[in-house]
Amino acid sequence: MNIAILGFGTVGTGVYKIIKKANRQTKDLHVKYILIRKNKPETMPEMTDNIDQIVKDDSVDVVVEVIGGIEPAHQYILSALRHKKSVITANKAVIAKYMDEFTNVARENNAKFYFESSVGGGIPWIQGLERALRIDDVDKIQGIFNGTSNYILDRMKKDKKSFDEVLLNAQQLGYAEADPSADIDGYDVANKLCISADIAYNTFISPDDNLPVFGIRNISYEDLVAFGKKNLTVKLLGKSDFHDGKFDYAVEPTLCAATSMEANTPDNFNLISLHGNTVGDLKFMGQGAGQLPTANAVIQDILDILQNKAHLERDFNSGFEYVPNLMKSDYVVRSEMDIRNIFAEYQVEMHGDYFEIKDVPTGEMHQLMAIVLKQDGQAFMASYPKEAREVDSDESSEVRWEFSR
Ligand code: HSE
């Protein structure tokens, strides 16, 4: 099987390395081309800067797109599919934006479009979700979808290092995006949750749909300590619930009980969960970012094509609808300002440097928080769900109920 790899950064290099170290299963994979940017030196015989040469070569079976970003990745994927080549991509941003178009063009051209590595790195999450859907309706997806932000939150707390220092380590380890704001501000999670929701609900939700997304840019070491005093660990979660043909959607820092699996997900690991009506809760854990885990998932897709293993089909016409504000939660906000007038409709308690706001619909919370941020650019919020609170029922320690920095 002849493969072209578009892009030779972290993931592209990993795919090449694993294929070169062939085993019994991968020995028939052959990298024929590596597309590099114009004006870059062609240091290997497989390298070319000519995408047409690749898509017009009838001997190429599979195109692996790992350039990242929207354009030209979008056009290259369409061009490869239209030339009847199967496409595998790890590029979350482009899939989330064009999932419906890629799926349709692949179907019209009898080609495969697979993207296991795009969500959860090396974790077989897409495969697990599709497998659950063969039998079940999935009515909940929730989890840690971003390795970089998880690494930052975990290492800041354990190593007592600053946000910037830990982010630099994540970049050096090849976890962070070229522009790490996607990791820090929640947009990478948003893309991965869109992809997961597209599959789970067989409907297309675009990351351009003004979805509630709040990241970890403003978190401080003192916040982690304050939450720790309450036996809570903050994690950046993607969440979606489904009821009666409607689903909601949010990306937000969330306080998790220190004993929960989420709180104990370390380093660059992801932990993604689903709930199905017969299977119940399933949790998938593994390295969500990094060269070889991500490349491993790309090669799993290549082997599925080689071995003719079909994935779940979808047409995105379930008619299910995204409805903000289906979910409600308590929230904790840290702000220099007195924010009680902004949340006048809700019950607000002050705890030291923090405000605890009760029972706020998620979409509404994100809108009100945008108002807070206009006046206090350093403010931080986290959802404080009931599950996290129930564990903390130890009345003996008053200090644990007091958020203070
Ligand atoms: N930057 C991403 C992350 C890479 O940290 O999760 C994997 O998608």
Side-chain angles (χ1 to χ4, degrees):
M1 172 177 266
N2 283 322
I3 297 157
I5 304 175
L6 314 186
F8 208 51
T10 305
V11 182
T13 312
V15 170
Y16 185 83
K17 275 189 205 165
I18 296 179
I19 290 178
K20 281 287 157 189
K21 222 176 142 195
N23 70 8
R24 205 155 50 89
Q25 297 276 333
T26 61
K27 66 179 177 359
D28 294 330
L29 307 183
H30 169 68
V31 177
K32 182 155 186 189
Y33 295 107
I34 296 168
L35 183 77
I36 55 167
R37 265 179 289 172
K38 296 218 180 300
N39 304 323
K40 284 263 176 186
E42 292 177 13
T43 53
M44 294 160 66
E46 299 93 335
M47 287 180 167
T48 171
D49 64 6
N50 185 349
I51 183 72
D52 284 341
Q53 184 187 1
I54 294 173
V55 295
K56 288 182 180 158
D57 182 337
D58 289 338
S59 74
V60 171
D61 305 291
V62 172
V63 170
V64 173
E65 185 278 309
V66 281
I67 302 171
I70 303 297
E71 298 296 350
H74 169 227
Q75 290 307 326
Y76 289 176
I77 292 172
L78 289 178
S79 176
L81 291 171
R82 287 183 179 130
H83 285 86
K84 309 205 179 298
K85 306 199 180 307
S86 289
V87 172
I88 292 162
T89 175
N91 181 344
K92 303 89 37 141
V94 82
I95 307 168
K97 197 170 165 76
Y98 294 111
M99 168 82 99
D100 52 349
E101 185 181 26
F102 292 148
T103 306
N104 291 337
V105 175
R107 188 184 303 112
E108 284 157 16
N109 288 281
N110 206 16
K112 305 290 183 208
F113 173 65
Y114 291 169
F115 43 85
E116 180 60 72
S117 56
S118 65
V119 184
I123 304 171
W125 159 246
I126 303 285
Q127 190 201 73
L129 177 60
E130 289 187 343
R131 209 173 154 76
L133 287 162
R134 297 202 298 186
I135 298 172
D136 276 0
D137 293 333
V138 167
D139 58 15
K140 189 178 186 67
I141 299 170
Q142 178 162 311
I144 299 169
F145 286 86
N146 182 270
T148 302
S149 56
N150 201 61
Y151 180 87
I152 292 173
L153 293 172
D154 192 44
R155 287 285 134 202
M156 272 176 82
K157 193 169 176 185
K158 288 181 180 156
D159 300 345
K160 300 188 173 58
K161 284 187 179 162
S162 72
F163 187 101
D164 291 340
E165 203 177 342
V166 184
L167 171 60
L168 189 65
N169 292 345
Q171 286 172 308
Q172 287 161 345
L173 288 163
Y175 304 155
E177 300 300 304
D179 173 2
S181 63
D183 296 302
I184 294 160
D185 295 325
Y187 293 103
D188 182 70
V189 179
N191 287 332
K192 292 166 175 171
L193 188 58
C194 280
I195 295 169
S196 305
D198 289 350
I199 298 170
Y201 312 136
N202 191 25
T203 192
F204 177 63
I205 177 167
S206 167
D208 299 334
D209 284 347
N210 196 20
L211 301 166
V213 177
F214 196 95
I216 58 161
R217 179 178 290 273
N218 285 355
I219 199 160
S220 65
Y221 174 71
E222 288 76 14
D223 292 327
L224 299 177
V225 172
F227 300 143
K229 284 185 195 162
K230 282 181 62 63
N231 282 347
L232 296 166
T233 302
V234 68
K235 292 288 180 180
L236 181 59
L237 298 189
K239 313 170 176 179
S240 177
D241 281 353
F242 177 88
H243 315 269
D244 302 330
K246 300 186 180 74
F247 64 94
D248 54 17
Y249 177 109
V251 177
E252 56 191 14
T254 301
L255 298 175
C256 303
T259 50
S260 65
M261 286 178 72
E262 283 73 12
N264 291 287
T265 300
D267 291 326
N268 62 331
F269 279 64
N270 287 184
L271 173 66
I272 315 178
S273 311
L274 64 80
H275 181 267
N277 51 315
T278 67
V279 77
D281 287 321
L282 283 178
K283 288 183 185 283
F284 298 78
M285 190 186 195
Q287 290 191 71
Q291 183 181 69
L292 294 176
T294 311
N296 176 298
V298 168
I299 291 170
Q300 294 288 358
D301 277 343
I302 300 178
L303 291 175
D304 281 356
I305 291 170
L306 181 69
Q307 297 167 3
N308 240 332
K309 290 193 176 141
H311 291 196
L312 195 76
E313 297 275 327
R314 51 201 143 252
D315 52 19
F316 306 118
N317 70 359
S318 66
F320 298 154
E321 204 192 341
Y322 163 59
V323 178
N325 293 322
L326 284 184
M327 282 189 278
K328 272 185 172 183
S329 176
D330 296 347
Y331 284 85
V332 170
V333 174
R334 189 236 321 124
S335 173
E336 303 275 297
M337 290 175 8
D338 187 346
I339 59 169
R340 284 176 291 186
N341 59 333
I342 296 175
F343 291 93
E345 274 185 45
Y346 298 96
Q347 189 192 334
V348 183
E349 291 170 8
M350 282 178 78
H351 298 282
D353 299 313
Y354 298 86
F355 298 87
E356 194 177 328
I357 307 159
K358 305 283 188 182
D359 222 20
V360 192
T362 299
E364 172 92 353
M365 181 69 204
H366 284 245
Q367 281 175 359
L368 293 173
M369 200 57 200
I371 299 173
V372 173
L373 281 177
K374 279 196 186 128
Q375 297 166 60
D376 175 4
Q378 294 307 310
F380 179 73
M381 78 161 196
S383 155
Y384 188 14
K386 305 240 173 322
E387 310 85 81
R389 190 182 300 268
E390 275 161 15
V391 175
D392 197 339
S393 58
D394 179 1
E395 298 289 323
S396 64
S397 169
E398 269 300 302
V399 69
R400 286 173 46 212
W401 284 106
E402 180 72 13
F403 285 112
S404 60
R405 296 211 287 164

